[in-house]
Amino acid sequence: MKKLIIFDLDGTLIDTLEDLKNSVNYALNLRSFPLKSREDVRKAIGNGVAKLVARSIPDNENNPEYLKTLADFRKHYSKNSCVDTIPYAGVMEVLINLKSQGYILAVATNKLTDVARPLVEGFYPKLFDFIQGDEPGMDRKPGPMMIETLCQCFKVKKEEAFYIGDTNVDMQTAVNSGVDYVLVTYGYRTKEELLEQCKESPMIESIRELPAYLKKIESI
């Protein structure tokens, strides 16, 4: 029986792509680096903002301007993280449904906790029991530390936890953590990319399929 449902944030609960793109381009423009399209940024997302910025500049982390560019991105994004960000259709009703059934709901994201928390609480107030993001001492996904920390926090066994994400990083996170999972195909990887990168991973096309999917796996 599943007790703890853990969600990725960007690309799973909310569409943050436009705001991420704008902050990336703000930082790039300060140094006259080539600007990035929405598609460029989509493909670079998945391992946290440090990797996002590195993948967006010439020579990646080896660029002597990398750390300054990252700092400028973070400063801009911290003030502009919810300009064009929107919730995905159906998420609110699914969260309310799961909460009413007694599930513990949590978020595990590579976003900084201080940035993730107001976004989650702003779009989905009083629905999540814990928001775990990037912070000192916490390994980023696809490492298992976030999932293991949430399981320990709620005294839940791994077989009682379930993870939902939208990228190959999320697949790797679930596998590394030893928890069951499903990937959504509406997020930051196309269905074709997921089928190529994640092979036999279970997938759903709409978040509205999640409650039925949980019932299905629990009946096996």
Side-chain angles (χ1 to χ4, degrees), residues 102-140:
Y103 288 108
I104 301 166
L105 303 183
V107 169
T109 175
N110 280 338
K111 232 179 187 63
L112 292 171
T113 300
D114 289 344
V115 176
R117 184 173 289 116
L119 286 171
V120 175
E121 294 177 348
F123 285 113
Y124 307 113
K126 300 180 180 180
L127 285 172
F128 283 95
D129 299 283
F130 203 97
I131 300 161
Q132 181 60 66
D134 183 15
E135 56 191 46
M138 180 61 62
D139 292 340
R140 297 185 187 95

mmCIF file of all heavy atoms in Angstrom, residues 102-140:
data_model
loop_
_atom_site.group_PDB
_atom_site.id
_atom_site.type_symbol
_atom_site.label_atom_id
_atom_site.label_comp_id
_atom_site.label_asym_id
_atom_site.label_seq_id
_atom_site.Cartn_x
_atom_site.Cartn_y
_atom_site.Cartn_z
ATOM 1 N N GLY A 102 -5.985 10.279 1.937
ATOM 2 C CA GLY A 102 -5.080 10.070 3.052
ATOM 3 C C GLY A 102 -3.613 9.933 2.694
ATOM 4 O O GLY A 102 -2.784 9.636 3.563
ATOM 5 N N TYR A 103 -3.265 10.147 1.428
ATOM 6 C CA TYR A 103 -1.857 10.073 1.037
ATOM 7 C C TYR A 103 -1.071 11.247 1.615
ATOM 8 O O TYR A 103 -1.586 12.371 1.719
ATOM 9 C CB TYR A 103 -1.709 10.109 -0.483
ATOM 10 C CG TYR A 103 -2.139 8.858 -1.191
ATOM 11 C CD1 TYR A 103 -3.312 8.840 -1.955
ATOM 12 C CD2 TYR A 103 -1.381 7.696 -1.127
ATOM 13 C CE1 TYR A 103 -3.714 7.693 -2.633
ATOM 14 C CE2 TYR A 103 -1.776 6.546 -1.811
ATOM 15 C CZ TYR A 103 -2.938 6.554 -2.553
ATOM 16 O OH TYR A 103 -3.336 5.421 -3.219
ATOM 17 N N ILE A 104 0.176 11.001 1.967
ATOM 18 C CA ILE A 104 1.117 12.060 2.296
ATOM 19 C C ILE A 104 1.673 12.576 0.972
ATOM 20 O O ILE A 104 2.101 11.787 0.130
ATOM 21 C CB ILE A 104 2.272 11.533 3.174
ATOM 22 C CG1 ILE A 104 1.733 10.927 4.469
ATOM 23 C CG2 ILE A 104 3.279 12.642 3.478
ATOM 24 C CD1 ILE A 104 2.765 10.089 5.215
ATOM 25 N N LEU A 105 1.684 13.882 0.778
ATOM 26 C CA LEU A 105 2.160 14.460 -0.474
ATOM 27 C C LEU A 105 3.428 15.270 -0.224
ATOM 28 O O LEU A 105 3.502 16.067 0.725
ATOM 29 C CB LEU A 105 1.094 15.366 -1.087
ATOM 30 C CG LEU A 105 -0.277 14.735 -1.373
ATOM 31 C CD1 LEU A 105 -1.191 15.757 -2.044
ATOM 32 C CD2 LEU A 105 -0.133 13.494 -2.240
ATOM 33 N N ALA A 106 4.426 15.070 -1.081
ATOM 34 C CA ALA A 106 5.697 15.776 -0.928
ATOM 35 C C ALA A 106 6.251 16.155 -2.301
ATOM 36 O O ALA A 106 5.854 15.591 -3.323
ATOM 37 C CB ALA A 106 6.700 14.910 -0.177
ATOM 38 N N VAL A 107 7.166 17.109 -2.299
ATOM 39 C CA VAL A 107 7.870 17.531 -3.509
ATOM 40 C C VAL A 107 9.356 17.273 -3.316
ATOM 41 O O VAL A 107 9.913 17.546 -2.246
ATOM 42 C CB VAL A 107 7.640 19.029 -3.804
ATOM 43 C CG1 VAL A 107 8.580 19.529 -4.904
ATOM 44 C CG2 VAL A 107 6.190 19.282 -4.195
ATOM 45 N N ALA A 108 10.002 16.743 -4.359
ATOM 46 C CA ALA A 108 11.463 16.590 -4.382
ATOM 47 C C ALA A 108 11.959 17.255 -5.657
ATOM 48 O O ALA A 108 11.657 16.791 -6.756
ATOM 49 C CB ALA A 108 11.862 15.119 -4.349
ATOM 50 N N THR A 109 12.684 18.346 -5.527
ATOM 51 C CA THR A 109 13.091 19.122 -6.682
ATOM 52 C C THR A 109 14.538 19.579 -6.562
ATOM 53 O O THR A 109 15.033 19.816 -5.459
ATOM 54 C CB THR A 109 12.181 20.364 -6.852
ATOM 55 O OG1 THR A 109 12.684 21.184 -7.927
ATOM 56 C CG2 THR A 109 12.136 21.199 -5.581
ATOM 57 N N ASN A 110 15.200 19.714 -7.708
ATOM 58 C CA ASN A 110 16.553 20.258 -7.723
ATOM 59 C C ASN A 110 16.560 21.776 -7.663
ATOM 60 O O ASN A 110 17.629 22.394 -7.645
ATOM 61 C CB ASN A 110 17.303 19.786 -8.974
ATOM 62 C CG ASN A 110 17.843 18.378 -8.820
ATOM 63 O OD1 ASN A 110 18.041 17.889 -7.710
ATOM 64 N ND2 ASN A 110 18.087 17.705 -9.934
ATOM 65 N N LYS A 111 15.384 22.400 -7.630
ATOM 66 C CA LYS A 111 15.286 23.833 -7.400
ATOM 67 C C LYS A 111 15.695 24.133 -5.962
ATOM 68 O O LYS A 111 15.484 23.313 -5.067
ATOM 69 C CB LYS A 111 13.825 24.262 -7.585
ATOM 70 C CG LYS A 111 13.599 25.403 -8.531
ATOM 71 C CD LYS A 111 12.123 25.689 -8.634
ATOM 72 C CE LYS A 111 11.855 26.712 -9.703
ATOM 73 N NZ LYS A 111 12.241 26.263 -11.040
ATOM 74 N N LEU A 112 16.281 25.292 -5.727
ATOM 75 C CA LEU A 112 16.579 25.688 -4.361
ATOM 76 C C LEU A 112 15.293 25.668 -3.534
ATOM 77 O O LEU A 112 14.242 26.128 -3.992
ATOM 78 C CB LEU A 112 17.193 27.089 -4.325
ATOM 79 C CG LEU A 112 18.599 27.235 -4.920
ATOM 80 C CD1 LEU A 112 18.978 28.710 -5.004
ATOM 81 C CD2 LEU A 112 19.619 26.477 -4.077
ATOM 82 N N THR A 113 15.368 25.145 -2.333
ATOM 83 C CA THR A 113 14.181 25.048 -1.477
ATOM 84 C C THR A 113 13.505 26.399 -1.296
ATOM 85 O O THR A 113 12.276 26.508 -1.338
ATOM 86 C CB THR A 113 14.556 24.462 -0.108
ATOM 87 O OG1 THR A 113 15.121 23.157 -0.292
ATOM 88 C CG2 THR A 113 13.342 24.350 0.797
ATOM 89 N N ASP A 114 14.312 27.461 -1.109
ATOM 90 C CA ASP A 114 13.758 28.794 -0.863
ATOM 91 C C ASP A 114 13.027 29.352 -2.089
ATOM 92 O O ASP A 114 12.191 30.250 -1.949
ATOM 93 C CB ASP A 114 14.866 29.764 -0.444
ATOM 94 C CG ASP A 114 15.386 29.474 0.960
ATOM 95 O OD1 ASP A 114 14.704 28.743 1.704
ATOM 96 O OD2 ASP A 114 16.471 29.981 1.298
ATOM 97 N N VAL A 115 13.340 28.838 -3.274
ATOM 98 C CA VAL A 115 12.618 29.246 -4.487
ATOM 99 C C VAL A 115 11.415 28.331 -4.713
ATOM 100 O O VAL A 115 10.340 28.779 -5.099
ATOM 101 C CB VAL A 115 13.555 29.217 -5.714
ATOM 102 C CG1 VAL A 115 12.780 29.556 -6.987
ATOM 103 C CG2 VAL A 115 14.713 30.190 -5.525
ATOM 104 N N ALA A 116 11.606 27.040 -4.452
ATOM 105 C CA ALA A 116 10.543 26.063 -4.692
ATOM 106 C C ALA A 116 9.358 26.249 -3.751
ATOM 107 O O ALA A 116 8.195 26.144 -4.171
ATOM 108 C CB ALA A 116 11.099 24.652 -4.546
ATOM 109 N N ARG A 117 9.638 26.525 -2.483
ATOM 110 C CA ARG A 117 8.562 26.569 -1.483
ATOM 111 C C ARG A 117 7.473 27.588 -1.828
ATOM 112 O O ARG A 117 6.273 27.251 -1.824
ATOM 113 C CB ARG A 117 9.140 26.826 -0.089
ATOM 114 C CG ARG A 117 8.070 26.790 1.009
ATOM 115 C CD ARG A 117 8.660 26.876 2.391
ATOM 116 N NE ARG A 117 9.368 25.657 2.748
ATOM 117 C CZ ARG A 117 10.677 25.582 2.974
ATOM 118 N NH1 ARG A 117 11.423 26.667 2.844
ATOM 119 N NH2 ARG A 117 11.247 24.441 3.310
ATOM 120 N N PRO A 118 7.819 28.858 -2.122
ATOM 121 C CA PRO A 118 6.733 29.805 -2.447
ATOM 122 C C PRO A 118 5.981 29.458 -3.722
ATOM 123 O O PRO A 118 4.785 29.765 -3.835
ATOM 124 C CB PRO A 118 7.466 31.151 -2.578
ATOM 125 C CG PRO A 118 8.908 30.820 -2.749
ATOM 126 C CD PRO A 118 9.126 29.532 -2.044
ATOM 127 N N LEU A 119 6.652 28.815 -4.678
ATOM 128 C CA LEU A 119 5.959 28.398 -5.891
ATOM 129 C C LEU A 119 4.934 27.315 -5.581
ATOM 130 O O LEU A 119 3.767 27.399 -5.999
ATOM 131 C CB LEU A 119 6.965 27.879 -6.922
ATOM 132 C CG LEU A 119 7.818 28.926 -7.642
ATOM 133 C CD1 LEU A 119 8.915 28.260 -8.453
ATOM 134 C CD2 LEU A 119 6.953 29.811 -8.537
ATOM 135 N N VAL A 120 5.347 26.300 -4.836
ATOM 136 C CA VAL A 120 4.442 25.206 -4.491
ATOM 137 C C VAL A 120 3.283 25.710 -3.637
ATOM 138 O O VAL A 120 2.109 25.414 -3.900
ATOM 139 C CB VAL A 120 5.195 24.074 -3.770
ATOM 140 C CG1 VAL A 120 4.216 22.998 -3.299
ATOM 141 C CG2 VAL A 120 6.256 23.462 -4.682
ATOM 142 N N GLU A 121 3.612 26.482 -2.623
ATOM 143 C CA GLU A 121 2.570 26.960 -1.710
ATOM 144 C C GLU A 121 1.661 27.984 -2.366
ATOM 145 O O GLU A 121 0.493 28.120 -2.004
ATOM 146 C CB GLU A 121 3.223 27.522 -0.450
ATOM 147 C CG GLU A 121 3.931 26.447 0.377
ATOM 148 C CD GLU A 121 4.659 26.996 1.593
ATOM 149 O OE1 GLU A 121 4.816 28.241 1.670
ATOM 150 O OE2 GLU A 121 5.075 26.183 2.439
ATOM 151 N N GLY A 122 2.200 28.710 -3.363
ATOM 152 C CA GLY A 122 1.390 29.690 -4.075
ATOM 153 C C GLY A 122 0.376 29.040 -5.002
ATOM 154 O O GLY A 122 -0.784 29.461 -5.063
ATOM 155 N N PHE A 123 0.807 28.004 -5.713
ATOM 156 C CA PHE A 123 -0.090 27.338 -6.655
ATOM 157 C C PHE A 123 -0.955 26.257 -5.992
ATOM 158 O O PHE A 123 -2.084 26.019 -6.416
ATOM 159 C CB PHE A 123 0.721 26.703 -7.793
ATOM 160 C CG PHE A 123 1.232 27.699 -8.800
ATOM 161 C CD1 PHE A 123 2.587 27.950 -8.919
ATOM 162 C CD2 PHE A 123 0.353 28.401 -9.618
ATOM 163 C CE1 PHE A 123 3.071 28.865 -9.844
ATOM 164 C CE2 PHE A 123 0.813 29.316 -10.552
ATOM 165 C CZ PHE A 123 2.182 29.560 -10.663
ATOM 166 N N TYR A 124 -0.410 25.609 -4.974
ATOM 167 C CA TYR A 124 -1.114 24.478 -4.342
ATOM 168 C C TYR A 124 -1.093 24.617 -2.818
ATOM 169 O O TYR A 124 -0.492 23.804 -2.117
ATOM 170 C CB TYR A 124 -0.466 23.154 -4.778
ATOM 171 C CG TYR A 124 -0.347 23.017 -6.270
ATOM 172 C CD1 TYR A 124 0.906 23.015 -6.886
ATOM 173 C CD2 TYR A 124 -1.481 22.914 -7.080
ATOM 174 C CE1 TYR A 124 1.022 22.903 -8.271
ATOM 175 C CE2 TYR A 124 -1.374 22.810 -8.457
ATOM 176 C CZ TYR A 124 -0.122 22.806 -9.047
ATOM 177 O OH TYR A 124 -0.006 22.711 -10.416
ATOM 178 N N PRO A 125 -1.742 25.644 -2.292
ATOM 179 C CA PRO A 125 -1.679 25.926 -0.852
ATOM 180 C C PRO A 125 -2.249 24.799 0.011
ATOM 181 O O PRO A 125 -3.291 24.223 -0.311
ATOM 182 C CB PRO A 125 -2.505 27.210 -0.705
ATOM 183 C CG PRO A 125 -3.395 27.244 -1.913
ATOM 184 C CD PRO A 125 -2.613 26.601 -3.010
ATOM 185 N N LYS A 126 -1.510 24.477 1.058
ATOM 186 C CA LYS A 126 -1.938 23.533 2.111
ATOM 187 C C LYS A 126 -2.156 22.107 1.611
ATOM 188 O O LYS A 126 -2.851 21.327 2.262
ATOM 189 C CB LYS A 126 -3.204 24.050 2.800
ATOM 190 C CG LYS A 126 -3.023 25.396 3.469
ATOM 191 C CD LYS A 126 -4.299 25.870 4.148
ATOM 192 C CE LYS A 126 -4.090 27.240 4.810
ATOM 193 N NZ LYS A 126 -5.331 27.722 5.474
ATOM 194 N N LEU A 127 -1.562 21.759 0.477
ATOM 195 C CA LEU A 127 -1.742 20.400 -0.048
ATOM 196 C C LEU A 127 -0.514 19.526 0.178
ATOM 197 O O LEU A 127 -0.646 18.303 0.263
ATOM 198 C CB LEU A 127 -2.081 20.446 -1.544
ATOM 199 C CG LEU A 127 -3.508 20.892 -1.876
ATOM 200 C CD1 LEU A 127 -3.685 21.088 -3.373
ATOM 201 C CD2 LEU A 127 -4.517 19.869 -1.356
ATOM 202 N N PHE A 128 0.657 20.145 0.278
ATOM 203 C CA PHE A 128 1.878 19.359 0.427
ATOM 204 C C PHE A 128 2.371 19.361 1.870
ATOM 205 O O PHE A 128 2.377 20.380 2.550
ATOM 206 C CB PHE A 128 2.970 19.884 -0.508
ATOM 207 C CG PHE A 128 2.759 19.456 -1.929
ATOM 208 C CD1 PHE A 128 2.092 20.287 -2.828
ATOM 209 C CD2 PHE A 128 3.194 18.221 -2.366
ATOM 210 C CE1 PHE A 128 1.881 19.887 -4.133
ATOM 211 C CE2 PHE A 128 2.990 17.807 -3.681
ATOM 212 C CZ PHE A 128 2.329 18.647 -4.559
ATOM 213 N N ASP A 129 2.791 18.174 2.307
ATOM 214 C CA ASP A 129 3.268 18.007 3.674
ATOM 215 C C ASP A 129 4.747 18.360 3.826
ATOM 216 O O ASP A 129 5.212 18.637 4.929
ATOM 217 C CB ASP A 129 3.048 16.553 4.117
ATOM 218 C CG ASP A 129 1.578 16.178 4.093
ATOM 219 O OD1 ASP A 129 0.854 16.587 5.017
ATOM 220 O OD2 ASP A 129 1.142 15.501 3.143
ATOM 221 N N PHE A 130 5.492 18.329 2.709
ATOM 222 C CA PHE A 130 6.920 18.644 2.775
ATOM 223 C C PHE A 130 7.405 19.019 1.383
ATOM 224 O O PHE A 130 6.997 18.412 0.398
ATOM 225 C CB PHE A 130 7.714 17.438 3.288
ATOM 226 C CG PHE A 130 9.043 17.796 3.899
ATOM 227 C CD1 PHE A 130 9.184 17.943 5.259
ATOM 228 C CD2 PHE A 130 10.163 17.989 3.086
ATOM 229 C CE1 PHE A 130 10.413 18.274 5.820
ATOM 230 C CE2 PHE A 130 11.389 18.317 3.638
ATOM 231 C CZ PHE A 130 11.518 18.458 5.011
ATOM 232 N N ILE A 131 8.291 20.019 1.330
ATOM 233 C CA ILE A 131 8.901 20.446 0.076
ATOM 234 C C ILE A 131 10.405 20.350 0.240
ATOM 235 O O ILE A 131 11.008 21.115 0.997
ATOM 236 C CB ILE A 131 8.488 21.886 -0.287
ATOM 237 C CG1 ILE A 131 6.969 21.975 -0.439
ATOM 238 C CG2 ILE A 131 9.193 22.345 -1.565
ATOM 239 C CD1 ILE A 131 6.423 23.375 -0.350
ATOM 240 N N GLN A 132 11.003 19.375 -0.434
ATOM 241 C CA GLN A 132 12.447 19.165 -0.341
ATOM 242 C C GLN A 132 13.132 19.626 -1.617
ATOM 243 O O GLN A 132 12.890 19.107 -2.696
ATOM 244 C CB GLN A 132 12.779 17.689 -0.109
ATOM 245 C CG GLN A 132 14.264 17.393 0.025
ATOM 246 C CD GLN A 132 14.894 18.131 1.196
ATOM 247 O OE1 GLN A 132 14.566 17.856 2.354
ATOM 248 N NE2 GLN A 132 15.778 19.080 0.911
ATOM 249 N N GLY A 133 13.974 20.647 -1.487
ATOM 250 C CA GLY A 133 14.712 21.151 -2.630
ATOM 251 C C GLY A 133 16.207 21.107 -2.400
ATOM 252 O O GLY A 133 16.697 20.486 -1.452
ATOM 253 N N ASP A 134 16.926 21.752 -3.285
ATOM 254 C CA ASP A 134 18.379 21.839 -3.195
ATOM 255 C C ASP A 134 18.751 22.772 -2.048
ATOM 256 O O ASP A 134 18.288 23.905 -1.985
ATOM 257 C CB ASP A 134 18.925 22.367 -4.533
ATOM 258 C CG ASP A 134 20.436 22.436 -4.564
ATOM 259 O OD1 ASP A 134 21.085 21.833 -3.686
ATOM 260 O OD2 ASP A 134 20.977 23.085 -5.480
ATOM 261 N N GLU A 135 19.574 22.266 -1.151
ATOM 262 C CA GLU A 135 20.027 23.056 -0.006
ATOM 263 C C GLU A 135 21.321 22.442 0.524
ATOM 264 O O GLU A 135 21.675 21.320 0.159
ATOM 265 C CB GLU A 135 18.954 23.088 1.081
ATOM 266 C CG GLU A 135 18.508 21.729 1.551
ATOM 267 C CD GLU A 135 17.267 21.790 2.432
ATOM 268 O OE1 GLU A 135 16.290 22.495 2.079
ATOM 269 O OE2 GLU A 135 17.275 21.122 3.468
ATOM 270 N N PRO A 136 22.060 23.175 1.358
ATOM 271 C CA PRO A 136 23.336 22.647 1.867
ATOM 272 C C PRO A 136 23.171 21.276 2.521
ATOM 273 O O PRO A 136 22.247 21.046 3.301
ATOM 274 C CB PRO A 136 23.763 23.700 2.894
ATOM 275 C CG PRO A 136 23.130 24.965 2.401
ATOM 276 C CD PRO A 136 21.810 24.548 1.835
ATOM 277 N N GLY A 137 24.062 20.358 2.149
ATOM 278 C CA GLY A 137 24.040 19.019 2.725
ATOM 279 C C GLY A 137 23.108 18.044 2.050
ATOM 280 O O GLY A 137 23.056 16.874 2.431
ATOM 281 N N MET A 138 22.370 18.518 1.046
ATOM 282 C CA MET A 138 21.411 17.658 0.351
ATOM 283 C C MET A 138 21.899 17.387 -1.065
ATOM 284 O O MET A 138 22.088 18.312 -1.859
ATOM 285 C CB MET A 138 20.033 18.328 0.304
ATOM 286 C CG MET A 138 18.947 17.526 -0.386
ATOM 287 S SD MET A 138 18.603 15.941 0.398
ATOM 288 C CE MET A 138 18.046 16.491 2.024
ATOM 289 N N ASP A 139 22.109 16.126 -1.397
ATOM 290 C CA ASP A 139 22.511 15.765 -2.760
ATOM 291 C C ASP A 139 21.362 15.989 -3.724
ATOM 292 O O ASP A 139 20.202 15.703 -3.412
ATOM 293 C CB ASP A 139 22.943 14.295 -2.828
ATOM 294 C CG ASP A 139 24.232 14.036 -2.074
ATOM 295 O OD1 ASP A 139 24.976 15.014 -1.829
ATOM 296 O OD2 ASP A 139 24.492 12.874 -1.730
ATOM 297 N N ARG A 140 21.688 16.469 -4.902
ATOM 298 C CA ARG A 140 20.668 16.677 -5.926
ATOM 299 C C ARG A 140 20.260 15.346 -6.568
ATOM 300 O O ARG A 140 21.003 14.385 -6.548
ATOM 301 C CB ARG A 140 21.179 17.619 -7.014
ATOM 302 C CG ARG A 140 21.514 19.034 -6.538
ATOM 303 C CD ARG A 140 21.882 19.906 -7.728
ATOM 304 N NE ARG A 140 22.355 21.221 -7.277
ATOM 305 C CZ ARG A 140 23.631 21.535 -7.102
ATOM 306 N NH1 ARG A 140 24.552 20.624 -7.352
ATOM 307 N NH2 ARG A 140 23.984 22.735 -6.698
#
